Amino acid sequence: MGNVIVGQSGGPTAVINASLAGVYKTAKDRGANKVYGMQNGIKGFIEGRYVDLSHHIRDNLDIELLRRTPSSFLGSCRYKLPSHHDNEEIFAQIFDKLKELEIECFLYIGGNDSMDSVMKLSRYAQDTGSNIRFVGVPKTIDNDLAITDHTPGFGSAAKYIGSVFKEIIRDGSVYGNGQINIVEIMGRNAGWLTAAASLARCEDCEGPDMIFLPETPFSIEGLYEKINSLYERNSKAIVIAVSEGIQLADGTYVCEYDSQSAKSTDAFGHKSLGGTASVLSGLVSEKFKRKTRSIELSILQRAAAHMQSRTDNAEAFLAGGQAVKAALSGMTGMTVVFERTSDDPYMIETALVEVEKIANVEKKVPDLWITENGSYVSKELTDYMRPLIQGELSQVMVDGLPRHLILNPQTLG
Amino acid sequence: MGNVIVGQSGGPTAVINASLAGVYKTAKDRGANKVYGMQNGIKGFIEGRYVDLSHHIRDNLDIELLRRTPSSFLGSCRYKLPSHHDNEEIFAQIFDKLKELEIECFLYIGGNDSMDSVMKLSRYAQDTGSNIRFVGVPKTIDNDLAITDHTPGFGSAAKYIGSVFKEIIRDGSVYGNGQINIVEIMGRNAGWLTAAASLARCEDCEGPDMIFLPETPFSIEGLYEKINSLYERNSKAIVIAVSEGIQLADGTYVCEYDSQSAKSTDAFGHKSLGGTASVLSGLVSEKFKRKTRSIELSILQRAAAHMQSRTDNAEAFLAGGQAVKAALSGMTGMTVVFERTSDDPYMIETALVEVEKIANVEKKVPDLWITENGSYVSKELTDYMRPLIQGELSQVMVDGLPRHLILNPQTLG
């Protein structure tokens, strides 16, 4: 067989390198001569930057370390290929290089934007009679890809969010002074990840008091009413989960609300220093005169390899491997998806679908799973997520910290 | 022997409950009839709120769970006792209640403010001929207590910070676009915890590029120069650790700098929505026109029981146990401290010192350990911290999340 090339694209997840490991190991096991890695995705490849992965993944211990390494081992890009009708030159350049490297299979690990690249490359191959196969491996913490039951990366981010919510809820309760913690979670348009805060509601934890997803218009007055009713029930501490992307009924993002009201930018021309939680924290603290804190989980939620889900890691590896097998069997313009074949006990199967069905489509949380006038999520949604956070991957600890595999250790000081 | 009472005070740490477990188990093992827990520290005790801990810690499994539970199991308070010359009534009330409960030993787990309470209570006992013994158990993530080599709670927070810095540094490197991440760490006056970011500099990680402690005046121009020189050396990503408490040479807190410059509050009267990292992020993004992100570790750094140091947990338990033994042996007005008897291999011993020497004193990072014009820390400081983050405590995972022990599970919905 010929050679294989793999790239990583879009925002990282805790398990995007498990998919890379799955691609590498499966390709090697099936006899690939060389497995190349594009640096910084298709953008870096166009610039001529790629590595022979066997120089960097030397043995099975390296594979285990790679599976435990956060962020994108090969670097990433946010780059959208043009249509090849608009700019054929760039495609000709890519394909010349692929031919030179004797590439037979091209695997691309990414979200819905990255699937757009897989689609365009496979179409160009079809149009030009190239027999290189292009297959996508899904990843995103946002869980917003169509068709697939869920995406690799989501389960680990959800496990992290469930865990830190338990810790935040315990921490918030210590003074019994009715303090309010507002926690901001990634997901501009889809609320899957914010919904993961509900996982913290379990035998030993009350869970967050409210959960606001971007799928439902957000009402500041509604928030005040709910806080009031919690205080009436003598609540000693309040924890609220908000998506970064929540909007008022008129379409204003909450994170822009405050600076609009202030009708000014500061001396440095910034529109707003704070995010959604910060704006809400300001409003709520003014209204209720209680200690209020905003907490942004920021990139910690996508980088927390130390709290990843073993289920998610195994599935991410599997998705990489299945993509290689599909490409070797002659499939192109496809991407791996998961079908849930049983809820209890949880089981999945993988399938391949045309990448057109996934590229550029966003899957949102269904209305049915949003409850309490948009301030919580249903048990069905929590039940859907629970299997995805099961199991842990013990970190390889060296001198007190998790060990990672990195591409260029020789560049370190 | 008589009964024992224990309280927790001040901000929580990941291992403040390990000290509670140490007090409980040691007191029980030595024949204490009852071990009471004050709810919300001395403040709650004054209000008559306390529990019989044996109703809540039922067996050795509960002790293991307690050691893995973040935040203060008994609740906490920020309450400073008056001098008994100013308000004898409150002391009379406390001592009446202690007599009624047949308390022989009073253990108080807290930071330097809490040691002030231990000092005042033991002095009152002395002045009034009471034979109740008052002993302190140190805790604080800030590591700012005098005399002791380090404080229980610091090692776990440092381990968490080292770990998430590795993750943040990996995450920041993916696009190779020179983006700047500014990470804010707790510690208003002492920079120990911020210095823990340096632990991320190890075989597989370049570590943060700069570390700014509150001990040294902060210069915005100096920051710009260092960023420029990193770009000149073709840096692909920059990560900066800042203490929340850094100040300009004129004493202005950086977190207040921006709103002062803007010379206005917003429509809701807030002085500033953002913290130190947020202010710096605004300035740096304006200056360098690069993607810049501010990340506040917020309460995650003190609540991350899931990433605690086994060394820290064991020492926190030990400190609780030694305090009980000291009180039983007749000591009062004392607190447990650690002496490092060997650096390599690391060893400590415990000792008891008069609480006056610790109460209300803050230990800062010595000048000698601050390097590069106040923008980094010395290898000696990292070497001092490294033993404190060694070892992990496996969490007890239930349904995908760490299980905690909580005081009133029956109140959960």
Side-chain angles (χ1 to χ4, degrees), chain A residues 1-12:
Chain A
M1 68 178 278
N3 296 329
V4 169
I5 192 162
V6 56
Q8 296 174 306
S9 171

Side-chain angles (χ1 to χ4, degrees), chain B residues 3 5 12 45 47 63 74 78 110 128 144 152 160 224 230 233 250 264 270 282 290 308 311 335 345 360 400 407:
Chain B
N3 297 327
I5 192 163
F45 185 69
E47 296 161 7
I63 287 183
L74 289 168
R78 292 198 184 280
T128 57
D144 60 352
Y160 173 80
Y224 292 163
L230 285 167
R233 283 187 275 146
D250 69 3
S264 71
H270 314 133
R290 303 266 194 158
Q308 62 184 288
T311 300
T335 184
N360 310 314
L407 191 59

Side-chain angles (χ1 to χ4, degrees), chain A residues 10-12 40 70-72 75-78 159-160 162-163 166-168 170-171 174-175 181 186 199 202-206 257-258 261-262 266-268 270 273 278 282-283 286 293 295 297-300 302-307 386 389-390 392 397 399-404 406 412, chain B residues 10-12 40 70-72 75-78 159-160 162-163 166-168 170-171 174-175 181 186 199 202-206 257-258 261-262 266-268 270 273 278 282-283 286 293 295 297-300 302-307 386 389-390 392 397 399-404 406 412:
Chain A
N40 299 107
S71 183
S72 303
S76 187
C77 65
R78 293 198 183 278
K159 185 184 184 86
Y160 173 79
S163 300
K166 287 192 70 177
E167 292 176 340
I168 289 169
R170 287 276 66 74
D171 189 280
V174 287
Y175 297 117
N181 284 331
M186 282 180 167
L199 292 162
C202 50
E203 287 175 353
D204 60 333
C205 185
E206 48 276 56
Y257 175 73
D258 190 78
S261 304
D266 68 21
F268 303 95
H270 313 133
L273 282 174
S278 173
L283 294 172
E286 186 65 16
R293 200 190 281 269
I295 302 169
L297 298 186
S298 188
I299 57 171
L300 307 178
R302 73 182 188 201
H306 75 269
M307 187 38 106
R386 185 75 62 181
I389 68 164
Q390 298 297 318
E392 294 73 52
M397 302 298 288
D399 224 0
L401 299 179
R403 172 59 58 110
H404 302 147
I406 62 170
L412 299 184
Chain B
N40 300 108
S71 183
S72 303
S76 188
C77 65
R78 292 198 184 280
K159 185 183 185 84
Y160 173 80
S163 300
K166 287 193 70 178
E167 293 177 340
I168 289 168
R170 288 275 65 73
D171 189 281
V174 289
Y175 297 117
N181 284 331
M186 283 179 167
L199 293 162
C202 51
E203 287 175 354
D204 60 334
C205 185
E206 48 276 56
Y257 175 72
D258 190 80
S261 303
D266 68 21
F268 304 95
H270 314 133
L273 282 173
S278 172
L283 295 171
E286 185 66 16
R293 200 191 281 270
I295 301 169
L297 298 185
S298 188
I299 56 170
L300 307 178
R302 73 182 186 199
H306 74 269
M307 187 39 106
R386 185 75 63 182
I389 67 165
Q390 299 297 317
E392 294 74 49
M397 302 298 287
D399 225 1
L401 299 179
R403 172 58 59 110
H404 302 147
I406 61 171
L412 300 183

